[in-house]
Amino acid sequence: MKIDILSLFPEMFEGPLHESIVGKALEKNLLQVKITNYRDFTKDRQHHVDDYPYGGGAGMLLQAQPIFDALDEVKKNSEEVGKVILLDPAGKKFDQSVASDLAKEKHLTFICGHYEGYDERIRTQVTDEISLGDYVLTGGELGAMVILDATVRLIPGVLGNKASAGDDSFSAGLLEYPQYTRPAVYRGLKVPDVLLSGNHQKIAQWRNYQALKRTYLRRPDLLLNMKLDAEQCSWLKKIKKEYKSEL
Ligand code: 4GS
């Protein structure tokens, strides 16, 4: 996958791009990232990229011209321009299913805003507007990093262990079951017996049950658009009864 990032602060990406799993993906050439600074596309001597809003109001806006020109450069250098993504609180909320759609693309471009916002005409150049969530960031850079991180780990070959991408929260629609590692007792806190039993069928059953219970108790909204099998339905009945009697 090739990813272009347009930003006023390219150095913000140094750490996140070069550590850990994303860093390895870059080393293994499973991923190429190019960061372009809008400031390199300004036409005025002072390299201004922002200006006051028409109609008045607080703050400064990124101008259309440096962003349009930076994007033209990206398009010129790409065989195939895929999705052009604008980070914006008014966009579609990012989640695991958006990440898995993006992971199928060959080329992504992220446009990171900063300051109070950008000239509205920038929206004419994008294919997707994505929001990280209902809060205000200082710029789109961290949003682009979050989306890149969640997307890149889904590219085949990026995670060492084939099974590990699929086992996580949300990929099956449920939160993750509790996990433990050695020692079996720590400060009096015991690992559940079933995990030490060596009975793989029992362990799988326990994990499925725990994932369902945790999801019901903490994020019941996730169960609304899920198809549960017969066993899960009967577990859920039991869990509901158990927790109703405690309230
Ligand atoms: C988000 C968000 C965001 C909006 C950028 C105000 C600076 C800021 N971007 N998801 N101007 N939430 N952007 O808060 O993507």
Side-chain angles (χ1 to χ4, degrees), residues 28-231:
K28 286 198 260 175
N29 222 21
L30 294 167
L31 172 69
Q32 287 166 279
V33 178
K34 181 155 186 255
I35 303 171
T36 300
N37 193 336
Y38 311 125
R39 212 176 282 285
D40 297 337
F41 292 85
T42 53
K43 302 247 198 254
D44 74 317
R45 235 177 252 270
Q46 282 84 39
H47 298 290
H48 283 131
V49 290
D50 55 342
D51 207 336
Y52 298 98
Y54 278 119
M60 303 286 273
L61 301 178
L62 285 168
Q63 292 172 281
Q65 177 270 320
I67 300 184
F68 272 61
D69 285 353
L71 204 51
D72 284 348
E73 179 82 1
V74 165
K75 288 178 184 167
K76 208 177 77 191
N77 294 333
S78 322
E79 290 157 34
E80 190 186 331
V81 185
K83 295 195 163 172
V84 178
I85 298 163
L86 184 68
L87 280 300
D88 191 290
K92 178 186 162 99
K93 205 182 279 177
F94 186 64
D95 64 14
Q96 191 64 26
S97 85
V98 176
S100 57
D101 286 344
L102 295 180
K104 295 175 192 129
E105 300 286 324
K106 284 202 187 95
H107 183 235
L108 302 174
T109 301
F110 292 99
I111 300 182
C112 308
H114 226 93
Y115 308 122
E116 252 43 64
Y118 24 68
D119 189 293
E120 180 70 13
R121 288 168 286 194
I122 286 158
R123 292 190 208 273
T124 63
Q125 303 300 297
V126 312
T127 62
D128 297 75
E129 298 184 19
I130 302 181
S131 169
L132 258 274
D134 295 337
Y135 42 79
V136 182
L137 300 168
T138 59
E141 285 78 9
L142 289 170
M145 276 310 326
V146 168
I147 295 171
L148 184 153
D149 189 282
T151 300
V152 164
R153 68 184 282 290
L154 299 177
I155 298 171
V158 168
L159 293 182
N161 174 356
K162 244 194 182 170
S164 40
D167 267 355
D168 293 304
S169 289
F170 304 121
S171 54
L174 296 175
L175 298 178
E176 258 183 293
Y177 49 79
Q179 301 199 83
Y180 299 85
T181 184
R182 281 189 283 194
V185 183
Y186 179 68
R187 297 200 184 194
L189 301 169
K190 280 198 206 136
V191 174
D193 285 334
V194 61
L195 298 179
L196 309 174
S197 70
N199 183 332
H200 296 293
Q201 199 200 329
K202 275 251 163 65
I203 290 170
Q205 203 174 37
W206 181 87
R207 285 177 167 167
N208 285 334
Y209 177 83
Q210 294 297 323
L212 186 68
K213 177 170 144 184
R214 179 162 280 178
T215 307
Y216 173 69
L217 293 176
R218 298 192 185 194
R219 292 291 308 280
D221 57 297
L222 294 176
L223 295 177
L224 293 175
N225 29 21
M226 250 194 82
K227 280 203 186 80
L228 299 177
D229 63 28
E231 189 175 45

